Structures are given as structure tokens and as C-alpha cells.
Amino acid sequence: MGVLEEVERIVLGSELSVPEKEARVIARLVDSGVPAAAECLVATSDSRVASFVAVYLEMVPGAEAEKTRAAERLRGTTGDLVRAASRLVRWLPGSLLDAYVQDYLATPEPNSPLSSVLFSIAVHHPERVRPYADRIESPSVQRILLSGAPDEVADRLFTRWHESRDLDHLHDLALIRTEHAADLIQSLESDRALMRDWDWLMPLAGRLPYAGAPAGFRPAFAGFVADAGASPHVMGGVPAGDVPLCADCGAPAERVLTLSARDLPHALTRDPSFYWFTCGCLEVDRIVVGLTSNGVHVHFGPQGPGGSDRCVVPGERSMVLEPHPNQIGFSLPAIAGRSRHQVGGLPHWPSPETHPHCPGCGDFMPFLIAIDSGPTPFGAMGFEPLLFGFWCDPCAVSATQIQF
């Protein structure tokens, strides 16, 4: 039986739940490889099969030629089949992206299958969609296009806030995340009515409060869970020495990610490490760790030897990085399980929060990583929502916090 036939048998059967089908399709395609998966996407005429195969291809870095060939074939289809191309957008050439945009504009229906592809293009390449904003009725696409919007849009939102004092206008202004938008937000620092909101508004716009330092490390990369050794950035596994322990049940934290500073362009002086618990205790919302010459120092909690039957990452893996196509940052809320992983840039919050304070210097910490709880080629992650990691390089302190 060929790969496509096996995938069809899994997807079109009635005995498995959707998550079970997804896990089995991913496992089968991992065994057969990306070329075979792309060929399934080229050959299938069933939108359900295409959807599951595209989920797998989205979690694999590279393979631009295979993904482009599949997306070109999908463009020539009718009905729901074309939706699968939305998961391949970040790897497609500009000419094909522009062709998809024109396909949508020829019949601009907000709920059409092509709208999913347009949505993904707007997320990853807002500059390719923005010239046609007045022809697109979708509120979600309009909101996506806040990312990197022109100065006149920022000025208009700033004027609306002054007229209405509606905080939503400042929220939208911050999501533009250009230098001009950040300047407008920063000009309101002395406004007493904004004192309660200043600490999350300013970093949302891209600058840490008061000091004005960048709220994240540039540039931004998309992250992909890969085999151990595929990258110098290590995921999972049991690190040497102490790890944080849960203050409620004593369970050890698991390593989420250790980045290799010398293999990043962010001028970091130490290798940041981030940890999380799999014990499920509800009181834990943040882990703060200092990296010293003697090993880990856990702030605000106990520490002890690592090792657990549970894993926040499925096995000892690595994270492969690719430059993110959208270096400004997303302007729609993140959805856990569908947001993928990120190193550098600005956080893609489900809802904006203040950045944590470093216990060493007392300053706000810039964002460095986001880890999603969605599927991987190796199984499910060991947590449900989204993890956000922050790093104070002068103090060598990491903070990992959760958001649902």
C-alpha cells in the first residue's frame, strides 16, 4: 500500500478521533519523508486528507521546492482543497503569493476557501496584502494588517484615542510596532490615566517601559522541533545539575529549550535556558532561573536534581531556526496549539501582559522565545497553552511564564 493510500485509510476511517488521526498521519509521514508527503498533497483530491498532510508539512523546516510544487497544484483546484495551501505560505515565492492574492480579489468572499490562504499571507507577509486592504471585508485580515502599518494609520489611531479616550485605539496603535507607533505610545508616558496600562502598552509597541530599550531581541526566527543534533539549540533532555522544583508537589521542572548564544545573531553572552513543569499544579505561572558559574540558581522557589517520567518536550530534541517572514510581529491574538514556535522578535500574546522584572537588576526583561503546545513530528508537547520566555543578558536570568 502506498503512502497516500495509507494516509487516506487513516483520515477517512471513522474509528479514530481527529487528534488520533492527526498523530497517526504525522507518524506515517515522518517515516516516509517530506517528498512523499508533498506528493500526497499533489495527488489527493480529498480536502480532509490535504488538511492533515499540510499540518505535517507546516511543522517541517525548509523543503521550499516541494512545498511550492504542492501549493501550485492546490491553486489549480476548486472547493475546500485549496485551504491546505494556507499552511505552506511561509515557504512560497512572492510570485505565487501574489497570484493567490489576485485569485482571492477576483472573487473576494470572506468565508471562501481562498480566504484562509489570504489570511495566512496577511499574517506572514502583510506588505503583500496591504495595498488591497480597501477591497477586503474580513475584520480579521484588517486587524492582521496593523502589523507594520503606515504612519498615517498610526496617526489616525492616536487621534481617535485623544478624541474618545478608548484604550482599544492605543492597543491597536501598539500592535503596529513601528518606530513611529512606539514614539506615539511613548509620548503618553506622563498621562496619569494610563498608569495602570503603561507597563503592558509600551512593550507591546516594542519598547520596554521607562528605559526605552527594545522589548525583544531582533531578528525573529520561526522554530521547528527536530531530531537531537540537527541544531545546536537543545530541547528537552535532562540537564546536568539542579533544576527548579515545584513548590507545591516537589516535582522537577523539565528543560524546554537551551539556546546556543554563539549560533544566534543576538549578541548574547550566555546560553539561555528555559524550564517548565509537567506536574499540573495550578499555582505555578512563572519560573525564574539565574545561570551562574556554579550552575542553576532558582529564584522564588526550591531547586534540586532533575529527571521525571513526564516530558514537556517529547524526548531529547533540538530546535531548527528559520528567519521569520514577518519581522514586525503579529497583530492578532495567538491561539494555543496553532501558533508554532519563535525565537527573537516580539511576543505573540493571546492577551498582552507586562514583561517580568529581572530579580538581579530590577529592570523589565526583553522577550526571547515562545513555545507552542501544538503537535510535533515526535508526539505531543507536555503542556497545553503557550510558554513565553524572557532573558536578561547582563544578569544571565531567564523567566518562563505561561498564558492560556
Side-chain angles (χ1 to χ4, degrees):
M1 184 182 295
V3 177
L4 178 57
E5 289 79 11
E6 290 186 50
V7 171
E8 287 176 337
R9 180 175 55 81
I10 295 169
V11 172
L12 304 180
S14 59
E15 67 275 10
L16 300 176
S17 66
V18 170
E20 289 171 334
K21 290 180 180 180
E22 183 176 77
R24 291 202 185 182
V25 168
I26 291 171
R28 180 63 187 88
L29 294 176
V30 167
D31 289 340
S32 58
V34 170
E39 184 58 36
C40 287
L41 206 51
V42 168
T44 188
S45 59
D46 190 288
S47 61
R48 294 166 293 178
V49 172
S51 176
F52 281 100
V53 173
V55 166
Y56 165 71
L57 287 174
E58 188 182 27
M59 64 178 65
V60 179
E64 290 88 351
E66 291 90 345
K67 293 171 182 177
T68 296
R69 186 167 73 94
E72 287 172 338
R73 185 264 170 171
L74 290 168
R75 183 178 170 234
T77 63
T78 59
D80 283 345
L81 198 61
V82 73
R83 289 186 192 273
S86 64
R87 295 187 177 274
L88 309 179
V89 158
R90 73 168 72 229
W91 295 278
L92 303 184
S95 58
L96 185 53
L97 296 175
D98 292 341
Y100 266 115
V101 172
Q102 293 304 318
D103 289 346
Y104 175 83
L105 294 173
T107 53
E109 299 176 12
N111 296 316
S112 70
L114 273 171
S115 67
S116 296
V117 185
L118 182 81
F119 179 92
S120 186
I121 295 171
V123 166
H124 294 97
H125 302 278
E127 72 283 355
R128 293 190 176 273
V129 179
R130 188 171 292 116
Y132 313 103
D134 59 347
R135 299 170 59 185
I136 299 171
E137 296 181 2
S138 168
S140 59
V141 171
Q142 293 293 337
R143 190 163 185 81
I144 291 169
L145 295 180
L146 286 172
S147 174
D151 290 352
E152 55 264 30
V153 175
D155 292 338
R156 186 162 58 247
L157 288 168
F158 195 59
T159 299
R160 288 176 181 172
W161 177 78
H162 276 292
E163 293 171 347
S164 67
R165 306 292 288 190
D166 185 340
L167 191 62
D168 286 345
H169 294 313
L170 288 187
H171 183 201
D172 290 350
L173 173 60
L175 287 172
I176 292 177
R177 290 173 160 176
T178 59
E179 288 298 312
H180 180 67
D183 286 343
L184 293 176
I185 295 287
Q186 193 151 22
S187 72
L188 302 173
E189 182 174 0
S190 61
D191 192 312
R192 291 182 175 274
L194 293 175
M195 289 182 62
R196 292 185 301 174
D197 300 295
W198 178 255
D199 288 352
W200 65 263
L201 265 174
M202 196 68 250
L204 189 65
R207 296 177 191 167
L208 294 177
Y210 313 111
F217 293 88
R218 303 282 190 180
F221 294 89
F224 303 85
V225 183
D227 285 314
S231 161
H233 310 297
V234 179
M235 299 190 76
V238 180
D242 282 359
V243 299
L245 302 178
C246 176
D248 290 339
C249 70
E254 302 295 316
R255 175 167 57 189
V256 179
L257 175 64
T258 297
L259 293 169
S260 171
R262 69 179 182 180
D263 294 287
L264 292 170
H266 301 130
L268 306 180
T269 59
R270 298 287 298 272
D271 293 348
S273 287
F274 302 88
Y275 300 85
W276 199 249
F277 295 114
T278 55
C279 56
C281 293
L282 297 178
E283 297 302 317
V284 179
D285 61 2
R286 182 179 294 168
I287 295 176
V288 182
V289 170
L291 305 182
T292 74
S293 58
N294 296 319
V296 165
H297 171 67
V298 179
H299 295 273
F300 320 120
Q303 64 187 71
S308 172
D309 294 335
R310 301 175 180 177
C311 293
V312 70
V313 176
E316 185 170 348
R317 308 294 175 188
S318 67
M319 175 171 281
V320 172
L321 302 181
E322 289 184 351
H324 206 293
N326 183 347
Q327 289 292 320
I328 294 291
F330 298 143
S331 52
L332 272 183
I335 300 175
R338 295 171 54 189
S339 298
R340 311 307 302 150
H341 316 299
Q342 181 180 328
V343 172
L346 295 173
H348 183 198
W349 293 111
S351 58
E353 285 190 21
T354 58
H355 289 209
H357 286 91
C358 173
C361 63
D363 290 338
F364 286 98
M365 302 173 69
F367 166 81
L368 184 54
I369 70 164
I371 304 296
D372 185 47
S373 57
T376 79
F378 311 99
M381 300 289 273
F383 63 100
E384 292 184 359
L386 287 151
L387 298 178
F388 293 88
F390 303 81
W391 174 251
C392 178
D393 195 64
C395 299
V397 171
S398 74
T400 311
Q401 67 185 52
I402 199 166
Q403 192 178 107
F404 293 86

